[in-house]
Every structure is written in C-alpha cells, then in structure tokens.
Amino acid sequence: MSASSRSCAVVLLLVCVYVVYLLIGALVFWALEKPREEKVRAELNLLKHQLLSNMSCIDLSTLEHLLETLMKANKYGVSLVKNNSENSNWDLASALFFSNTLVTTIGYGHTTPLSDEGKAFSIVYGVIGVPFTMLVLTACVQRLMVPLNLRPVTSWRRRFGWHPRTASTMHFVLLLLLVIVMFFVVPAVVFSIIEDSWSFLEAFYFCFISLCTIGLGDFVPGEQDNQKLRPLYKISVMVYLFLGLIAMYFVLRSFHKLADVHGWTAFFHLPSCDDEGEIRNEDASEGPNECETDTKPLEPSAGVSYNSISK
C-alpha cells in the first residue's frame, strides 16, 4: 500500500471512529435524558388538567407554580403548548443531533441536559469530543488541500502562464463562490421549503450561524409539530453540518495559503501554510525523485580515471 493510500485509510478510519463516538454519546444522552423529560412532561400535563378543572376558582399559588414550572421546562426545551408524545427532545435521533452540536461547538442551546448525570457527562464528553472533532476536521481538510487547492493552482500556472498570486486569487474566489452556493444558498432553499415558518433569509441566516459555530439557537431545524420523517431529517442536518464545517475549514486553509502567496502572513509575522511539503511528500510516494535518481552511487566499473579526462 502506498503512503497516499495509507493516509486516506487513516482518515477514513478516523471518520468511522468519529461516527461511532457520536452514536455512543447519543445512546448515553438518550438513556439519561429521556426518563427525565417524560417526568417533566407528566408534571406539566397534570398541572394543565388541574388548572382546567378549577377554571372558576384559580388559586394564585397554583398559577404561580404553573408559570414557574413552565419557565423551567421551557429552559430544557419542553413546551406545554406545542408538546406532544411524538416530538421528543431526547429520542435517539435528537440525542445524536445534540451530541453533534456539542462536540462541534455549535451548541444551539434549545435542548440542554435535564439531569445532573447528563450535565456531568456533557463535560467529560465535550472534553474528549471537541479536540477529537478538530482532529477529524483537520485530517479531512489536510487530505483535500493537495487535490483541490495545490494541484488546480499549479495546473493553471502551467497552462495559462499565470503569476502565482493571480492563480491563487482566482482559485480562492471560485472556491468561495462554490462553497456559498453549495452550503448556504442551496441548503437555505431546502430549509425554507421544509420549515414552514422560515423565510429564505432566515434559512440562510441559520446556515451561516451554524457553519460559523455561533449557534444562537433562535432557529433550530426539526422542531415543528408533527414533523415528517423527523429522525431522518435530524440526521441529514447533522451530516450537512459536518460537511459544511469541513468546507468552512477548507476555505480558511485556502485563505491561509493565499495569504502566504501575497506575503500577508510574513507581513503580520504569522506562521505560513506548509502545504508545499504535503504535495512534495505525495509526489515522492508516487515515484522516485529525480534528484535521488541522479545522485545514486556510481558503480565500481563507472569510476572516473585520469585517463578519461579530455586533454
């Protein structure tokens, strides 16, 4: 197996382990949070029935207790108005979605752990998951830099005779436009169709807030009543967020490369992008180096003698 194939296999293994890690987190959150959510849901329904049965003489303390319970439940993502048995914040798909937003640092905040055990596990899970996520994203982007950045720029320079700055700038502009269309415009159209209450601007805003890992939580997909195929929808959004984060990180790496070519990193005394070493290593793994071929030790029979020197 060549070095390039071995490197791709390692990245694929990392992604697989990452998916397994998300599944483990989802199962733990599901087991910890689902019973607590059902208990809060039962308390809300009980208070609601008590209020309706005593409509003519509502007790002030009961009403205050109801409001206090409603506010506390709303903090954990449980609503009395829109609450139903089909929409759970801690089913397997929702727990997987929460695990993904936790380790990617997006953190919408619409759903938070109810139990102390869940809060404690979030700390441990995040301590391991956040750097692991960064490692997976870095490994994926590192493998994409050569075929999607360095080779196109080198090809354009050879074919059109462009200056390195011109080729790098053109590549970055095209890359930025492609990412905006594929990960912002198209998903925004899809979200505005699926989410009835979202306009295109709101959907575009959600994509931007999410892929920049800001995660304000004012717009969260899959929270409508009776959402069709909600588990599949949640998992699809999770895959979109992961691929979108790779694209955003790739744009940042490409901008770093562009800054190197234009001398901006040197001007600001920042570390330069070392992608040239990557392509040299890959080329070296694909075939023998010309310099190594030329500097092979001479055979004994090919030794130079004084008689061979032209006089």
mmCIF file of all heavy atoms in Angstrom, residues 160-206:
data_model
loop_
_atom_site.group_PDB
_atom_site.id
_atom_site.type_symbol
_atom_site.label_atom_id
_atom_site.label_comp_id
_atom_site.label_asym_id
_atom_site.label_seq_id
_atom_site.Cartn_x
_atom_site.Cartn_y
_atom_site.Cartn_z
ATOM 1 N N PHE A 160 -1.823 28.434 -18.284
ATOM 2 C CA PHE A 160 -2.091 29.805 -18.720
ATOM 3 C C PHE A 160 -0.932 30.754 -18.461
ATOM 4 O O PHE A 160 -0.990 31.917 -18.859
ATOM 5 C CB PHE A 160 -3.345 30.345 -18.008
ATOM 6 C CG PHE A 160 -4.579 29.513 -18.239
ATOM 7 C CD1 PHE A 160 -5.109 28.751 -17.209
ATOM 8 C CD2 PHE A 160 -5.203 29.483 -19.473
ATOM 9 C CE1 PHE A 160 -6.242 27.982 -17.398
ATOM 10 C CE2 PHE A 160 -6.335 28.719 -19.675
ATOM 11 C CZ PHE A 160 -6.865 27.965 -18.638
ATOM 12 N N GLY A 161 0.097 30.273 -17.781
ATOM 13 C CA GLY A 161 1.241 31.128 -17.503
ATOM 14 C C GLY A 161 0.948 32.220 -16.498
ATOM 15 O O GLY A 161 1.562 33.296 -16.540
ATOM 16 N N TRP A 162 0.001 31.961 -15.602
ATOM 17 C CA TRP A 162 -0.389 32.972 -14.621
ATOM 18 C C TRP A 162 0.678 33.107 -13.536
ATOM 19 O O TRP A 162 1.395 32.159 -13.197
ATOM 20 C CB TRP A 162 -1.713 32.604 -13.961
ATOM 21 C CG TRP A 162 -2.900 32.785 -14.871
ATOM 22 C CD1 TRP A 162 -2.916 33.385 -16.089
ATOM 23 C CD2 TRP A 162 -4.238 32.338 -14.634
ATOM 24 N NE1 TRP A 162 -4.170 33.357 -16.634
ATOM 25 C CE2 TRP A 162 -5.011 32.719 -15.762
ATOM 26 C CE3 TRP A 162 -4.865 31.658 -13.591
ATOM 27 C CZ2 TRP A 162 -6.363 32.446 -15.869
ATOM 28 C CZ3 TRP A 162 -6.212 31.379 -13.686
ATOM 29 C CH2 TRP A 162 -6.962 31.772 -14.822
ATOM 30 N N HIS A 163 0.709 34.308 -12.958
ATOM 31 C CA HIS A 163 1.544 34.553 -11.785
ATOM 32 C C HIS A 163 0.945 33.793 -10.599
ATOM 33 O O HIS A 163 -0.283 33.612 -10.523
ATOM 34 C CB HIS A 163 1.592 36.057 -11.493
ATOM 35 C CG HIS A 163 2.613 36.433 -10.470
ATOM 36 N ND1 HIS A 163 2.348 36.400 -9.114
ATOM 37 C CD2 HIS A 163 3.900 36.859 -10.598
ATOM 38 C CE1 HIS A 163 3.428 36.778 -8.445
ATOM 39 N NE2 HIS A 163 4.382 37.066 -9.320
ATOM 40 N N PRO A 164 1.769 33.319 -9.667
ATOM 41 C CA PRO A 164 1.223 32.590 -8.500
ATOM 42 C C PRO A 164 0.143 33.365 -7.752
ATOM 43 O O PRO A 164 -0.837 32.774 -7.290
ATOM 44 C CB PRO A 164 2.458 32.360 -7.623
ATOM 45 C CG PRO A 164 3.590 32.316 -8.585
ATOM 46 C CD PRO A 164 3.244 33.285 -9.673
ATOM 47 N N ARG A 165 0.297 34.684 -7.642
ATOM 48 C CA ARG A 165 -0.723 35.471 -6.940
ATOM 49 C C ARG A 165 -2.040 35.472 -7.704
ATOM 50 O O ARG A 165 -3.118 35.363 -7.103
ATOM 51 C CB ARG A 165 -0.224 36.900 -6.739
ATOM 52 C CG ARG A 165 0.957 37.015 -5.783
ATOM 53 C CD ARG A 165 1.328 38.468 -5.546
ATOM 54 N NE ARG A 165 2.431 38.588 -4.588
ATOM 55 C CZ ARG A 165 2.949 39.743 -4.196
ATOM 56 N NH1 ARG A 165 2.460 40.882 -4.696
ATOM 57 N NH2 ARG A 165 3.928 39.764 -3.332
ATOM 58 N N THR A 166 -1.960 35.578 -9.031
ATOM 59 C CA THR A 166 -3.178 35.584 -9.849
ATOM 60 C C THR A 166 -3.891 34.243 -9.773
ATOM 61 O O THR A 166 -5.114 34.176 -9.590
ATOM 62 C CB THR A 166 -2.830 35.901 -11.313
ATOM 63 O OG1 THR A 166 -2.142 37.157 -11.381
ATOM 64 C CG2 THR A 166 -4.089 35.981 -12.164
ATOM 65 N N ALA A 167 -3.134 33.167 -9.915
ATOM 66 C CA ALA A 167 -3.742 31.840 -9.864
ATOM 67 C C ALA A 167 -4.356 31.555 -8.495
ATOM 68 O O ALA A 167 -5.460 31.008 -8.397
ATOM 69 C CB ALA A 167 -2.683 30.779 -10.204
ATOM 70 N N SER A 168 -3.675 31.919 -7.417
ATOM 71 C CA SER A 168 -4.184 31.675 -6.073
ATOM 72 C C SER A 168 -5.433 32.507 -5.793
ATOM 73 O O SER A 168 -6.396 32.021 -5.179
ATOM 74 C CB SER A 168 -3.110 31.993 -5.031
ATOM 75 O OG SER A 168 -1.984 31.165 -5.203
ATOM 76 N N THR A 169 -5.431 33.753 -6.250
ATOM 77 C CA THR A 169 -6.598 34.620 -6.040
ATOM 78 C C THR A 169 -7.804 34.103 -6.810
ATOM 79 O O THR A 169 -8.927 34.053 -6.277
ATOM 80 C CB THR A 169 -6.277 36.063 -6.476
ATOM 81 O OG1 THR A 169 -5.131 36.540 -5.746
ATOM 82 C CG2 THR A 169 -7.466 36.974 -6.220
ATOM 83 N N MET A 170 -7.597 33.704 -8.058
ATOM 84 C CA MET A 170 -8.697 33.175 -8.871
ATOM 85 C C MET A 170 -9.258 31.899 -8.247
ATOM 86 O O MET A 170 -10.487 31.705 -8.185
ATOM 87 C CB MET A 170 -8.206 32.904 -10.290
ATOM 88 C CG MET A 170 -9.301 32.397 -11.234
ATOM 89 S SD MET A 170 -10.613 33.623 -11.494
ATOM 90 C CE MET A 170 -9.682 34.889 -12.380
ATOM 91 N N HIS A 171 -8.367 31.036 -7.768
ATOM 92 C CA HIS A 171 -8.815 29.792 -7.143
ATOM 93 C C HIS A 171 -9.641 30.068 -5.894
ATOM 94 O O HIS A 171 -10.688 29.458 -5.675
ATOM 95 C CB HIS A 171 -7.606 28.928 -6.790
ATOM 96 C CG HIS A 171 -7.953 27.702 -6.002
ATOM 97 N ND1 HIS A 171 -7.989 27.687 -4.620
ATOM 98 C CD2 HIS A 171 -8.307 26.447 -6.395
ATOM 99 C CE1 HIS A 171 -8.334 26.503 -4.207
ATOM 100 N NE2 HIS A 171 -8.534 25.721 -5.248
ATOM 101 N N PHE A 172 -9.193 31.013 -5.070
ATOM 102 C CA PHE A 172 -9.908 31.298 -3.828
ATOM 103 C C PHE A 172 -11.284 31.908 -4.106
ATOM 104 O O PHE A 172 -12.263 31.578 -3.433
ATOM 105 C CB PHE A 172 -9.082 32.241 -2.954
ATOM 106 C CG PHE A 172 -9.737 32.561 -1.642
ATOM 107 C CD1 PHE A 172 -9.735 31.631 -0.613
ATOM 108 C CD2 PHE A 172 -10.366 33.776 -1.443
ATOM 109 C CE1 PHE A 172 -10.348 31.909 0.604
ATOM 110 C CE2 PHE A 172 -10.981 34.065 -0.240
ATOM 111 C CZ PHE A 172 -10.973 33.136 0.788
ATOM 112 N N VAL A 173 -11.367 32.784 -5.088
ATOM 113 C CA VAL A 173 -12.657 33.401 -5.427
ATOM 114 C C VAL A 173 -13.649 32.344 -5.918
ATOM 115 O O VAL A 173 -14.811 32.310 -5.492
ATOM 116 C CB VAL A 173 -12.471 34.503 -6.490
ATOM 117 C CG1 VAL A 173 -13.826 34.985 -7.012
ATOM 118 C CG2 VAL A 173 -11.691 35.672 -5.900
ATOM 119 N N LEU A 174 -13.185 31.465 -6.808
ATOM 120 C CA LEU A 174 -14.062 30.396 -7.306
ATOM 121 C C LEU A 174 -14.471 29.442 -6.190
ATOM 122 O O LEU A 174 -15.625 29.004 -6.107
ATOM 123 C CB LEU A 174 -13.360 29.629 -8.431
ATOM 124 C CG LEU A 174 -13.117 30.410 -9.733
ATOM 125 C CD1 LEU A 174 -12.347 29.545 -10.728
ATOM 126 C CD2 LEU A 174 -14.436 30.877 -10.342
ATOM 127 N N LEU A 175 -13.518 29.113 -5.316
ATOM 128 C CA LEU A 175 -13.819 28.229 -4.187
ATOM 129 C C LEU A 175 -14.850 28.860 -3.268
ATOM 130 O O LEU A 175 -15.805 28.198 -2.829
ATOM 131 C CB LEU A 175 -12.536 27.936 -3.417
ATOM 132 C CG LEU A 175 -12.705 27.163 -2.100
ATOM 133 C CD1 LEU A 175 -13.216 25.758 -2.358
ATOM 134 C CD2 LEU A 175 -11.375 27.119 -1.335
ATOM 135 N N LEU A 176 -14.700 30.141 -2.973
ATOM 136 C CA LEU A 176 -15.634 30.831 -2.085
ATOM 137 C C LEU A 176 -17.035 30.856 -2.679
ATOM 138 O O LEU A 176 -18.024 30.610 -1.975
ATOM 139 C CB LEU A 176 -15.133 32.252 -1.823
ATOM 140 C CG LEU A 176 -15.842 33.053 -0.731
ATOM 141 C CD1 LEU A 176 -15.724 32.351 0.610
ATOM 142 C CD2 LEU A 176 -15.274 34.463 -0.649
ATOM 143 N N LEU A 177 -17.133 31.137 -3.964
ATOM 144 C CA LEU A 177 -18.445 31.150 -4.623
ATOM 145 C C LEU A 177 -19.085 29.763 -4.596
ATOM 146 O O LEU A 177 -20.294 29.625 -4.354
ATOM 147 C CB LEU A 177 -18.299 31.642 -6.072
ATOM 148 C CG LEU A 177 -17.931 33.120 -6.256
ATOM 149 C CD1 LEU A 177 -17.709 33.420 -7.736
ATOM 150 C CD2 LEU A 177 -19.026 34.022 -5.689
ATOM 151 N N LEU A 178 -18.278 28.727 -4.838
ATOM 152 C CA LEU A 178 -18.800 27.360 -4.840
ATOM 153 C C LEU A 178 -19.314 26.966 -3.456
ATOM 154 O O LEU A 178 -20.389 26.365 -3.330
ATOM 155 C CB LEU A 178 -17.701 26.398 -5.292
ATOM 156 C CG LEU A 178 -18.102 24.924 -5.428
ATOM 157 C CD1 LEU A 178 -19.175 24.752 -6.493
ATOM 158 C CD2 LEU A 178 -16.888 24.066 -5.758
ATOM 159 N N VAL A 179 -18.566 27.308 -2.419
ATOM 160 C CA VAL A 179 -18.989 26.983 -1.049
ATOM 161 C C VAL A 179 -20.252 27.738 -0.675
ATOM 162 O O VAL A 179 -21.162 27.183 -0.040
ATOM 163 C CB VAL A 179 -17.849 27.293 -0.057
ATOM 164 C CG1 VAL A 179 -18.343 27.210 1.384
ATOM 165 C CG2 VAL A 179 -16.695 26.320 -0.262
ATOM 166 N N ILE A 180 -20.348 29.003 -1.064
ATOM 167 C CA ILE A 180 -21.545 29.791 -0.751
ATOM 168 C C ILE A 180 -22.776 29.179 -1.408
ATOM 169 O O ILE A 180 -23.844 29.073 -0.792
ATOM 170 C CB ILE A 180 -21.353 31.256 -1.197
ATOM 171 C CG1 ILE A 180 -20.332 31.953 -0.299
ATOM 172 C CG2 ILE A 180 -22.677 32.010 -1.161
ATOM 173 C CD1 ILE A 180 -19.988 33.359 -0.736
ATOM 174 N N VAL A 181 -22.625 28.756 -2.659
ATOM 175 C CA VAL A 181 -23.771 28.175 -3.370
ATOM 176 C C VAL A 181 -24.151 26.817 -2.786
ATOM 177 O O VAL A 181 -25.322 26.545 -2.505
ATOM 178 C CB VAL A 181 -23.454 28.052 -4.883
ATOM 179 C CG1 VAL A 181 -24.550 27.263 -5.594
ATOM 180 C CG2 VAL A 181 -23.319 29.424 -5.501
ATOM 181 N N MET A 182 -23.143 25.951 -2.562
ATOM 182 C CA MET A 182 -23.420 24.571 -2.157
ATOM 183 C C MET A 182 -23.822 24.446 -0.689
ATOM 184 O O MET A 182 -24.629 23.576 -0.331
ATOM 185 C CB MET A 182 -22.203 23.690 -2.430
ATOM 186 C CG MET A 182 -21.923 23.454 -3.894
ATOM 187 S SD MET A 182 -20.542 22.300 -4.141
ATOM 188 C CE MET A 182 -21.176 20.837 -3.334
ATOM 189 N N PHE A 183 -23.275 25.300 0.172
ATOM 190 C CA PHE A 183 -23.500 25.119 1.609
ATOM 191 C C PHE A 183 -24.306 26.246 2.247
ATOM 192 O O PHE A 183 -24.584 26.181 3.450
ATOM 193 C CB PHE A 183 -22.164 24.977 2.333
ATOM 194 C CG PHE A 183 -21.450 23.699 2.014
ATOM 195 C CD1 PHE A 183 -20.488 23.660 1.019
ATOM 196 C CD2 PHE A 183 -21.755 22.524 2.686
ATOM 197 C CE1 PHE A 183 -19.833 22.482 0.710
ATOM 198 C CE2 PHE A 183 -21.106 21.337 2.386
ATOM 199 C CZ PHE A 183 -20.141 21.317 1.395
ATOM 200 N N PHE A 184 -24.684 27.255 1.454
ATOM 201 C CA PHE A 184 -25.503 28.321 2.011
ATOM 202 C C PHE A 184 -26.781 28.538 1.195
ATOM 203 O O PHE A 184 -27.883 28.484 1.744
ATOM 204 C CB PHE A 184 -24.695 29.627 2.086
ATOM 205 C CG PHE A 184 -23.634 29.613 3.141
ATOM 206 C CD1 PHE A 184 -22.352 29.187 2.840
ATOM 207 C CD2 PHE A 184 -23.898 30.029 4.432
ATOM 208 C CE1 PHE A 184 -21.365 29.163 3.807
ATOM 209 C CE2 PHE A 184 -22.916 30.023 5.414
ATOM 210 C CZ PHE A 184 -21.646 29.582 5.097
ATOM 211 N N VAL A 185 -26.633 28.776 -0.101
ATOM 212 C CA VAL A 185 -27.799 29.108 -0.922
ATOM 213 C C VAL A 185 -28.706 27.891 -1.103
ATOM 214 O O VAL A 185 -29.915 27.962 -0.805
ATOM 215 C CB VAL A 185 -27.349 29.659 -2.297
ATOM 216 C CG1 VAL A 185 -28.572 29.927 -3.174
ATOM 217 C CG2 VAL A 185 -26.539 30.936 -2.120
ATOM 218 N N VAL A 186 -28.142 26.789 -1.587
ATOM 219 C CA VAL A 186 -28.962 25.584 -1.822
ATOM 220 C C VAL A 186 -29.576 25.050 -0.525
ATOM 221 O O VAL A 186 -30.789 24.786 -0.481
ATOM 222 C CB VAL A 186 -28.136 24.500 -2.538
ATOM 223 C CG1 VAL A 186 -28.934 23.212 -2.658
ATOM 224 C CG2 VAL A 186 -27.697 24.988 -3.919
ATOM 225 N N PRO A 187 -28.810 24.879 0.560
ATOM 226 C CA PRO A 187 -29.447 24.439 1.809
ATOM 227 C C PRO A 187 -30.496 25.413 2.320
ATOM 228 O O PRO A 187 -31.502 24.984 2.895
ATOM 229 C CB PRO A 187 -28.274 24.331 2.781
ATOM 230 C CG PRO A 187 -27.090 24.102 1.926
ATOM 231 C CD PRO A 187 -27.351 24.907 0.696
ATOM 232 N N ALA A 188 -30.277 26.729 2.118
ATOM 233 C CA ALA A 188 -31.269 27.705 2.565
ATOM 234 C C ALA A 188 -32.586 27.528 1.823
ATOM 235 O O ALA A 188 -33.675 27.651 2.417
ATOM 236 C CB ALA A 188 -30.734 29.121 2.360
ATOM 237 N N VAL A 189 -32.519 27.231 0.535
ATOM 238 C CA VAL A 189 -33.742 26.963 -0.233
ATOM 239 C C VAL A 189 -34.449 25.725 0.303
ATOM 240 O O VAL A 189 -35.675 25.711 0.487
ATOM 241 C CB VAL A 189 -33.402 26.801 -1.732
ATOM 242 C CG1 VAL A 189 -34.627 26.349 -2.514
ATOM 243 C CG2 VAL A 189 -32.861 28.096 -2.306
ATOM 244 N N VAL A 190 -33.667 24.676 0.582
ATOM 245 C CA VAL A 190 -34.246 23.423 1.106
ATOM 246 C C VAL A 190 -34.890 23.659 2.470
ATOM 247 O O VAL A 190 -36.018 23.220 2.726
ATOM 248 C CB VAL A 190 -33.169 22.334 1.190
ATOM 249 C CG1 VAL A 190 -33.739 21.077 1.846
ATOM 250 C CG2 VAL A 190 -32.631 22.004 -0.200
ATOM 251 N N PHE A 191 -34.188 24.360 3.365
ATOM 252 C CA PHE A 191 -34.732 24.622 4.696
ATOM 253 C C PHE A 191 -35.989 25.491 4.632
ATOM 254 O O PHE A 191 -36.933 25.275 5.398
ATOM 255 C CB PHE A 191 -33.680 25.306 5.574
ATOM 256 C CG PHE A 191 -32.642 24.372 6.118
ATOM 257 C CD1 PHE A 191 -31.288 24.625 5.931
ATOM 258 C CD2 PHE A 191 -32.997 23.233 6.825
ATOM 259 C CE1 PHE A 191 -30.320 23.777 6.430
ATOM 260 C CE2 PHE A 191 -32.044 22.365 7.323
ATOM 261 C CZ PHE A 191 -30.701 22.638 7.128
ATOM 262 N N SER A 192 -36.006 26.477 3.744
ATOM 263 C CA SER A 192 -37.186 27.344 3.636
ATOM 264 C C SER A 192 -38.400 26.589 3.118
ATOM 265 O O SER A 192 -39.542 26.977 3.395
ATOM 266 C CB SER A 192 -36.879 28.532 2.716
ATOM 267 O OG SER A 192 -36.588 28.095 1.394
ATOM 268 N N ILE A 193 -38.171 25.491 2.385
ATOM 269 C CA ILE A 193 -39.283 24.663 1.904
ATOM 270 C C ILE A 193 -39.764 23.711 2.999
ATOM 271 O O ILE A 193 -40.965 23.557 3.222
ATOM 272 C CB ILE A 193 -38.855 23.877 0.648
ATOM 273 C CG1 ILE A 193 -38.578 24.835 -0.517
ATOM 274 C CG2 ILE A 193 -39.932 22.872 0.250
ATOM 275 C CD1 ILE A 193 -38.015 24.153 -1.745
ATOM 276 N N ILE A 194 -38.812 23.078 3.703
ATOM 277 C CA ILE A 194 -39.177 22.100 4.729
ATOM 278 C C ILE A 194 -39.755 22.784 5.963
ATOM 279 O O ILE A 194 -40.774 22.352 6.513
ATOM 280 C CB ILE A 194 -37.959 21.246 5.101
ATOM 281 C CG1 ILE A 194 -37.490 20.430 3.894
ATOM 282 C CG2 ILE A 194 -38.292 20.302 6.265
ATOM 283 C CD1 ILE A 194 -36.249 19.618 4.150
ATOM 284 N N GLU A 195 -39.100 23.852 6.413
ATOM 285 C CA GLU A 195 -39.564 24.582 7.595
ATOM 286 C C GLU A 195 -40.581 25.640 7.159
ATOM 287 O O GLU A 195 -40.224 26.642 6.547
ATOM 288 C CB GLU A 195 -38.372 25.248 8.305
ATOM 289 C CG GLU A 195 -37.281 24.293 8.744
ATOM 290 C CD GLU A 195 -37.703 23.466 9.952
ATOM 291 O OE1 GLU A 195 -38.669 23.869 10.644
ATOM 292 O OE2 GLU A 195 -37.071 22.430 10.205
ATOM 293 N N ASP A 196 -41.841 25.411 7.489
ATOM 294 C CA ASP A 196 -42.916 26.291 7.018
ATOM 295 C C ASP A 196 -42.769 27.723 7.516
ATOM 296 O O ASP A 196 -43.144 28.671 6.814
ATOM 297 C CB ASP A 196 -44.278 25.739 7.469
ATOM 298 C CG ASP A 196 -44.554 24.364 6.873
ATOM 299 O OD1 ASP A 196 -44.005 24.079 5.789
ATOM 300 O OD2 ASP A 196 -45.291 23.572 7.496
ATOM 301 N N SER A 197 -42.243 27.904 8.701
ATOM 302 C CA SER A 197 -42.177 29.249 9.297
ATOM 303 C C SER A 197 -40.896 29.996 8.942
ATOM 304 O O SER A 197 -40.722 31.141 9.367
ATOM 305 C CB SER A 197 -42.297 29.144 10.827
ATOM 306 O OG SER A 197 -41.247 28.349 11.361
ATOM 307 N N TRP A 198 -40.007 29.397 8.177
ATOM 308 C CA TRP A 198 -38.738 30.037 7.839
ATOM 309 C C TRP A 198 -38.819 30.673 6.458
ATOM 310 O O TRP A 198 -39.261 30.054 5.494
ATOM 311 C CB TRP A 198 -37.592 29.032 7.827
ATOM 312 C CG TRP A 198 -37.228 28.479 9.167
ATOM 313 C CD1 TRP A 198 -37.945 28.554 10.327
ATOM 314 C CD2 TRP A 198 -36.039 27.731 9.477
ATOM 315 N NE1 TRP A 198 -37.303 27.910 11.329
ATOM 316 C CE2 TRP A 198 -36.124 27.390 10.855
ATOM 317 C CE3 TRP A 198 -34.942 27.314 8.750
ATOM 318 C CZ2 TRP A 198 -35.133 26.656 11.495
ATOM 319 C CZ3 TRP A 198 -33.955 26.570 9.381
ATOM 320 C CH2 TRP A 198 -34.051 26.256 10.743
ATOM 321 N N SER A 199 -38.358 31.904 6.372
ATOM 322 C CA SER A 199 -38.169 32.525 5.070
ATOM 323 C C SER A 199 -36.791 32.150 4.543
ATOM 324 O O SER A 199 -35.978 31.543 5.257
ATOM 325 C CB SER A 199 -38.280 34.052 5.193
ATOM 326 O OG SER A 199 -37.242 34.576 6.005
ATOM 327 N N PHE A 200 -36.517 32.525 3.288
ATOM 328 C CA PHE A 200 -35.198 32.210 2.724
ATOM 329 C C PHE A 200 -34.100 32.919 3.513
ATOM 330 O O PHE A 200 -33.041 32.338 3.774
ATOM 331 C CB PHE A 200 -35.142 32.622 1.251
ATOM 332 C CG PHE A 200 -33.774 32.469 0.636
ATOM 333 C CD1 PHE A 200 -33.302 31.225 0.230
ATOM 334 C CD2 PHE A 200 -32.944 33.578 0.484
ATOM 335 C CE1 PHE A 200 -32.035 31.083 -0.319
ATOM 336 C CE2 PHE A 200 -31.677 33.442 -0.070
ATOM 337 C CZ PHE A 200 -31.220 32.191 -0.475
ATOM 338 N N LEU A 201 -34.341 34.163 3.898
ATOM 339 C CA LEU A 201 -33.344 34.909 4.664
ATOM 340 C C LEU A 201 -33.076 34.243 6.007
ATOM 341 O O LEU A 201 -31.924 34.134 6.439
ATOM 342 C CB LEU A 201 -33.815 36.347 4.873
ATOM 343 C CG LEU A 201 -32.897 37.240 5.720
ATOM 344 C CD1 LEU A 201 -31.522 37.360 5.089
ATOM 345 C CD2 LEU A 201 -33.530 38.615 5.938
ATOM 346 N N GLU A 202 -34.146 33.802 6.673
ATOM 347 C CA GLU A 202 -33.979 33.144 7.958
ATOM 348 C C GLU A 202 -33.236 31.819 7.802
ATOM 349 O O GLU A 202 -32.409 31.463 8.648
ATOM 350 C CB GLU A 202 -35.338 32.927 8.607
ATOM 351 C CG GLU A 202 -36.006 34.224 9.059
ATOM 352 C CD GLU A 202 -37.437 34.014 9.501
ATOM 353 O OE1 GLU A 202 -38.038 32.998 9.086
ATOM 354 O OE2 GLU A 202 -37.957 34.863 10.254
ATOM 355 N N ALA A 203 -33.518 31.088 6.727
ATOM 356 C CA ALA A 203 -32.820 29.827 6.477
ATOM 357 C C ALA A 203 -31.342 30.075 6.161
ATOM 358 O O ALA A 203 -30.460 29.339 6.646
ATOM 359 C CB ALA A 203 -33.489 29.078 5.324
ATOM 360 N N PHE A 204 -31.061 31.101 5.378
ATOM 361 C CA PHE A 204 -29.669 31.460 5.069
ATOM 362 C C PHE A 204 -28.952 31.889 6.346
ATOM 363 O O PHE A 204 -27.778 31.545 6.569
ATOM 364 C CB PHE A 204 -29.632 32.579 4.034
ATOM 365 C CG PHE A 204 -28.272 32.813 3.439
ATOM 366 C CD1 PHE A 204 -27.896 32.176 2.268
ATOM 367 C CD2 PHE A 204 -27.370 33.672 4.050
ATOM 368 C CE1 PHE A 204 -26.640 32.391 1.713
ATOM 369 C CE2 PHE A 204 -26.115 33.885 3.519
ATOM 370 C CZ PHE A 204 -25.738 33.244 2.349
ATOM 371 N N TYR A 205 -29.664 32.626 7.182
ATOM 372 C CA TYR A 205 -29.121 33.058 8.468
ATOM 373 C C TYR A 205 -28.797 31.866 9.351
ATOM 374 O O TYR A 205 -27.752 31.827 10.003
ATOM 375 C CB TYR A 205 -30.148 33.979 9.134
ATOM 376 C CG TYR A 205 -29.967 34.222 10.614
ATOM 377 C CD1 TYR A 205 -29.060 35.167 11.083
ATOM 378 C CD2 TYR A 205 -30.733 33.524 11.541
ATOM 379 C CE1 TYR A 205 -28.917 35.396 12.436
ATOM 380 C CE2 TYR A 205 -30.589 33.744 12.896
ATOM 381 C CZ TYR A 205 -29.687 34.683 13.338
ATOM 382 O OH TYR A 205 -29.543 34.913 14.686
ATOM 383 N N PHE A 206 -29.672 30.859 9.356
ATOM 384 C CA PHE A 206 -29.415 29.652 10.127
ATOM 385 C C PHE A 206 -28.158 28.939 9.626
ATOM 386 O O PHE A 206 -27.334 28.483 10.429
ATOM 387 C CB PHE A 206 -30.613 28.707 10.040
ATOM 388 C CG PHE A 206 -30.296 27.294 10.430
ATOM 389 C CD1 PHE A 206 -30.159 26.929 11.762
ATOM 390 C CD2 PHE A 206 -30.114 26.305 9.453
ATOM 391 C CE1 PHE A 206 -29.847 25.626 12.125
ATOM 392 C CE2 PHE A 206 -29.809 25.007 9.810
ATOM 393 C CZ PHE A 206 -29.666 24.670 11.143
#
